[in-house]
């Protein structure tokens, strides 16, 4: 596609449920990032994937969070046993090896009730 | 670890006022530095960048100079417009990797 695509755009879930958020990066981009944007908290790094290298998971806030990237393209961020403090906008971005510029998707607004 | 610190907002200015949004960083090595902007209802997009010391990034009337001696990358604009109202994020990416770290963001309101 022309840009980074994220789905769903909005997700409302009950506390304790698992959720999956999807990101489809720009074709050919080798790097893929997940960030979390909370009200008043700025942009928090979660995880990034680069090519076939092991992902940098240093930003994942707990073991309830995990992510995978299949075939070097689409990525899924999974949050297990969601908590109210997980409510935020989850942003995905991708970049090419030749360019440091990040291209962001529109995000998934997650609301945990 | 690497980190980025921005001045807290919101910043409220009148149209045609001078803008400065402070950004300082902590990093090993020689990172590339960025300003991203998020307009209301839109996604984040790159505003400008600088890749080495003393470089000046510029775009849409905004400028920022990479100051290694003060580890700073302050964003400036000589005359802001209402359309500049947005959230501005300072970011860095260190050499040898792809990890990009963002500051907390600074919300700018420009009044007509």
């Amino acid at each position: 596609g022309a840009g980074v695509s994220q789905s769903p755009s909005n997700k409302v879930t009950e506390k304790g449920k698992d959720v999956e958020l999807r990101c489809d990066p720009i074709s050919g981009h080798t790097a893929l990032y997940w960030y979390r944007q909370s009200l008043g908290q700025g942009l928090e790094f979660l995880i990034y994937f680069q090519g076939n290298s092991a992902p940098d998971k240093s930003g994942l806030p707990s073991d309830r969070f995990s992510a995978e990237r299949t075939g070097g393209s689409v990525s899924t961020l999974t949050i297990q046993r969601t908590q109210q403090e997980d409510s935020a906008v989850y942003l995905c971005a991708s970049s090419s090896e030749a360019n440091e510029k990040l291209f962001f998707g529109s995000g998934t607004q997650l609301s945990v009730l | 670890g690497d980190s980025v610190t921005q001045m807290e907002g919101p910043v409220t200015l009148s149209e045609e006022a001078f803008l400065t949004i402070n950004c300082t960083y902590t990093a090993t090595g020689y990172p590339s530095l960025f300003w991203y902007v998020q307009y209301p209802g839109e996604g984040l997009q790159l505003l400008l960048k600088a890749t080495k010391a003393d470089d000046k990034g510029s775009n849409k009337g905004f400028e920022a100079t990479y100051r290694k001696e003060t580890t700073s990358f302050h964003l400036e604009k000589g005359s802001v417009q209402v359309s500049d109202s947005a959230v501005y994020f300072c970011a860095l990416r260190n050499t040898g990797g792809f990890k990009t770290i963002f500051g907390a963001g600074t919300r700018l309101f420009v009044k007509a």
Side-chain angles (χ1 to χ4, degrees), chain B residues 28-107:
Chain B
T28 57
Y30 303 93
S32 294
L33 302 175
F34 308 84
W35 278 100
Y36 281 79
V37 59
Q38 187 175 32
Y39 297 105
E42 299 184 17
L44 274 93
Q45 56 187 279
L46 180 67
L47 179 61
L48 55 84
K49 73 174 189 180
T51 57
K52 62 183 187 296
D54 299 324
D55 266 3
K56 177 185 286 187
S58 61
N59 186 23
K60 299 182 180 180
F62 291 88
E63 293 183 340
T65 302
Y66 190 143
R67 301 286 188 201
K68 191 171 186 303
E69 63 276 14
T70 54
T71 61
S72 65
F73 193 54
H74 303 322
L75 182 68
E76 296 182 335
K77 186 173 185 182
S79 176
V80 293
Q81 305 300 312
V82 173
S83 57
D84 294 326
S85 297
V87 182
Y88 292 83
F89 293 89
C90 187
L92 72 81
R93 179 155 93 169
N94 217 329
T95 52
F98 281 70
K99 184 175 178 178
T100 302
I101 301 297
F102 286 78
T106 302
R107 184 175 295 277

Side-chain angles (χ1 to χ4, degrees), chain A residues 49-107:
Chain A
F49 299 85
Q50 167 52 30
N52 295 321
S53 303
D56 181 334
K57 305 179 183 179
S58 59
L60 294 179
S62 77
D63 59 8
R64 296 187 295 106
F65 288 71
S66 63
E68 62 177 23
R69 187 179 186 190
T70 53
S73 180
V74 172
S75 176
T76 302
L77 177 69
T78 301
I79 309 173
Q80 296 179 308
R81 305 181 302 282
T82 52
Q83 304 296 311
Q84 288 184 330
E85 60 262 29
D86 299 335
S87 296
V89 176
Y90 289 81
L91 292 170
C92 177
S94 69
S95 70
S96 68
E97 198 154 335
N99 193 334
E100 296 174 301
K101 175 181 176 180
L102 266 62
F103 293 81
F104 281 86
S106 299

Side-chain angles (χ1 to χ4, degrees), chain B residues 10-45:
Chain B
V11 174
T12 302
L13 295 173
S14 297
E15 213 166 16
E16 299 184 4
F18 184 86
L19 168 71
T20 299
I21 299 178
N22 290 339
C23 171
T24 57
Y25 67 90
T26 301
T28 57
Y30 303 93
S32 294
L33 302 175
F34 308 84
W35 278 100
Y36 281 79
V37 59
Q38 187 175 32
Y39 297 105
E42 299 184 17
L44 274 93
Q45 56 187 279

Side-chain angles (χ1 to χ4, degrees), chain A residues 16-38:
Chain A
K17 301 280 191 185
D18 298 351
V19 295
E20 286 189 350
L21 311 181
R22 177 188 166 102
C23 173
D24 201 342
I26 292 173
S27 177
H29 279 191
T30 55
L32 185 148
Y33 307 75
W34 284 98
Y35 293 89
R36 180 167 69 177
Q37 187 173 23
S38 307

